[in-house]
């Protein structure tokens, strides 16, 4: 099945291969860990790598934000990016400049320097393959290993934000049957809201762990966290934020918005004694949040982690 590897496959076929063990690698590859933490002389370097798959319009901007989001989840300010573009030979030179212009503009907005990368044209692929690695510095050590029983889960943003924007931009024909043109433009505009840098910068003062729910959506993220922390989660399903337009689309297209790719949301784990202070700090900056769950016991949850976007984009 296309998409992210299931946890059991990831553990068996990927995470066991670690190379040489080094004491300066504080957090390496792991289930639920968005980025690595590497001890360097002046602090802790955060590094994360992600591709863009499924989006065509504004893919360069999306590439920057999904990588910046992962770095921000470790309490860092994104600073440097390395970009890899592997593009179809036909029309590839046009795409090179298109993607690089989008990447440049997005990086300029958030203070990130393009430090290098790799670009090539190929006759092996029909669709662009674009990926990046983002770096930043932090003084925090946010990790799943910090999670304890009773910790609360906060969410900002709303479920399926990224997926809905991709559908609106790349398959608007699916939504136009029940959305007004005004509704469609609203959902398209959600592509401007993929960054979680602002809430992450606030919550890093209160959180013991943060996570960016991408492929698999909210349920995919909660499943990953439960597996990684080896703890159960009492999920407050009805409190998970879902926009009214997403609910309309889900009903008409028959998909679960809680399994729709959700860059632009932020999930943070906060100690119960800090929960109200954290929410008040977000509110003071005009950011809405919701408590969507609590860690409870050691019985890990099992949720459907499928990604809804791929089957939606493939519809005729």
């Amino acid at each position: 099945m296309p998409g992210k590897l299931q946890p059991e496959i990831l553990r068996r076929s990927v995470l066991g291969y670690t190379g040489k063990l080094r004491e300066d690698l504080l957090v390496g590859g792991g289930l639920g860990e968005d980025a690595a933490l590497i001890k360097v002389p002046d602090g802790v370097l955060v590094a994360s790598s992600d591709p863009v798959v499924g989006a065509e319009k504004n893919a360069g901007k999306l590439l920057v934000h999904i990588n910046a989001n992962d770095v921000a989840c470790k309490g860092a300010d994104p600073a440097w990016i390395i970009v890899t573009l592997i593009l179809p030979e036909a029309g590839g030179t046009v795409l090179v400049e298109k993607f690089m212009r989008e990447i440049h503009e997005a990086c300029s907005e958030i203070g990130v320097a393009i430090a290098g990368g790799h670009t090539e044209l190929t006759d092996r692929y029909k669709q662009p393959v674009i990926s990046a690695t983002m770096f930043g510095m932090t003084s925090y050590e946010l990790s799943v290993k910090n999670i304890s029983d009773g910790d609360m889960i906060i969410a900002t943003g709303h479920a399926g934000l990224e997926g809905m924007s991709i559908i609106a931009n790349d398959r608007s024909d699916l939504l136009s049957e029940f959305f007004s043109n005004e509704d469609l433009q609203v959902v398209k505009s959600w592509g401007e809201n993929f960054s979680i840098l602002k809430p992450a910068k606030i919550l890093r003062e209160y959180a013991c762990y943060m996570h960016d729910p991408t492929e698999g959506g909210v349920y995919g993220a909660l499943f990953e966290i439960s597996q990684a922390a080896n703890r159960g989660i009492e999920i407050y399903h009805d409190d998970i934020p879902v926009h009214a337009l997403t609910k309309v689309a889900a009903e008409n297209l028959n998909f679960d918005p809680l399994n729709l790719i959700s860059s632009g949301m932020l999930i943070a784990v906060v100690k119960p004694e800090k929960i109200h202070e954290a929410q008040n700090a977000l509110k003071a900056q005009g950011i809405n949040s919701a408590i969507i769950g609590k860690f409870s016991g050691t019985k890990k949850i099992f949720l459907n982690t499928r990604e809804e976007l791929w089957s939606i984009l493939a519809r005729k």
Side-chain angles (χ1 to χ4, degrees):
M1 180 181 294
K4 292 173 68 173
L5 294 179
Q6 292 296 308
E8 64 274 12
I9 301 175
L10 195 65
R11 286 194 177 102
R12 182 180 69 244
S13 302
V14 178
L15 297 180
Y17 299 100
T18 60
K20 180 176 174 58
L21 297 178
R22 294 179 56 101
E23 292 184 359
D24 52 6
L25 182 61
L26 304 178
V27 175
L31 192 62
E33 299 288 12
D34 288 320
L37 299 181
I38 304 166
K39 184 68 176 177
V40 294
D42 294 329
V44 177
L45 178 69
V46 180
S48 179
S49 183
D50 255 331
V52 166
V53 179
E56 295 181 9
K57 296 182 180 177
N58 299 317
K61 180 176 183 178
L62 179 58
L63 181 71
V64 172
H65 285 307
I66 63 172
N67 281 282
N69 286 353
D70 283 347
V71 168
C73 281
K74 292 301 183 189
D77 297 316
W80 309 277
I81 192 171
I82 294 174
V83 177
T84 297
L85 304 180
I86 303 177
L87 308 175
E89 184 178 15
T93 53
V94 175
L95 284 177
V96 168
E97 186 166 0
K98 171 187 180 297
F99 286 139
M100 288 308 303
R101 184 185 300 112
E102 292 174 357
I103 291 166
H104 162 75
E105 291 173 353
C107 285
S108 298
E109 289 174 1
I110 62 174
V112 169
I114 301 173
H118 174 80
T119 307
E120 70 174 85
L121 303 181
T122 180
D123 59 1
R124 307 298 292 271
Y125 302 118
K126 294 182 179 179
Q127 298 296 326
V129 176
I130 66 174
S131 183
T133 301
M134 184 79 75
F135 303 91
M137 297 295 294
T138 187
S139 59
Y140 304 86
E141 290 190 26
L142 305 181
S143 172
V144 290
K145 65 185 179 184
N146 300 327
I147 296 174
S148 303
D149 209 35
D151 289 351
M152 310 297 292
I153 304 172
I154 290 178
T156 66
H158 53 92
L161 168 63
E162 178 186 359
M164 284 294 294
S165 174
I166 292 172
I167 296 166
N169 281 289
D170 294 347
R171 289 299 310 273
S172 60
D173 56 300
L174 296 175
L175 300 176
S176 59
E177 294 183 12
F178 46 85
F179 273 4
S180 68
N181 186 60
E182 182 180 354
D183 291 338
L184 193 59
Q185 295 308 313
V186 167
V187 178
K188 285 183 177 182
S189 74
W190 292 352
E192 302 298 317
N193 302 318
F194 289 159
S195 175
I196 60 166
L197 300 193
K198 186 175 179 180
K201 194 167 187 175
I202 295 169
L203 285 173
R204 69 190 183 187
E205 300 293 336
Y206 307 96
C208 62
Y209 168 81
M210 294 192 290
H211 187 50
D212 176 29
T214 53
E215 190 172 332
V218 178
Y219 278 167
L222 293 177
F223 175 70
E224 280 187 1
I225 299 169
S226 174
Q227 294 287 312
N230 198 30
R231 294 187 179 277
I233 300 176
E234 181 183 349
I235 302 174
Y236 308 151
H237 300 270
D238 293 338
D239 294 330
I240 298 174
V242 182
H243 195 281
L245 291 176
T246 302
K247 291 180 180 179
V248 171
E251 182 177 346
N252 282 273
L253 296 178
N254 190 29
F255 69 86
D256 188 343
L258 301 183
N259 277 122
L260 186 62
I261 190 167
S262 295
S263 289
M265 284 194 83
L266 174 62
I267 290 176
V269 179
V270 179
K271 301 299 179 184
E273 63 271 18
K274 293 184 178 181
I275 195 75
H276 295 301
E277 188 179 356
Q279 286 196 289
N280 287 337
L282 289 168
K283 187 176 181 180
Q285 296 299 316
I287 301 172
N288 293 325
S289 65
I291 300 174
I292 65 168
K294 179 177 72 173
F295 286 89
S296 178
T298 58
K299 186 177 181 181
K300 293 177 285 187
I301 60 171
F302 292 91
L303 294 167
N304 193 326
T305 60
R306 70 183 184 278
E307 172 52 55
E308 296 278 19
L309 180 63
W310 316 130
S311 62
I312 296 172
L313 294 178
R315 295 183 191 183
K316 296 181 179 180

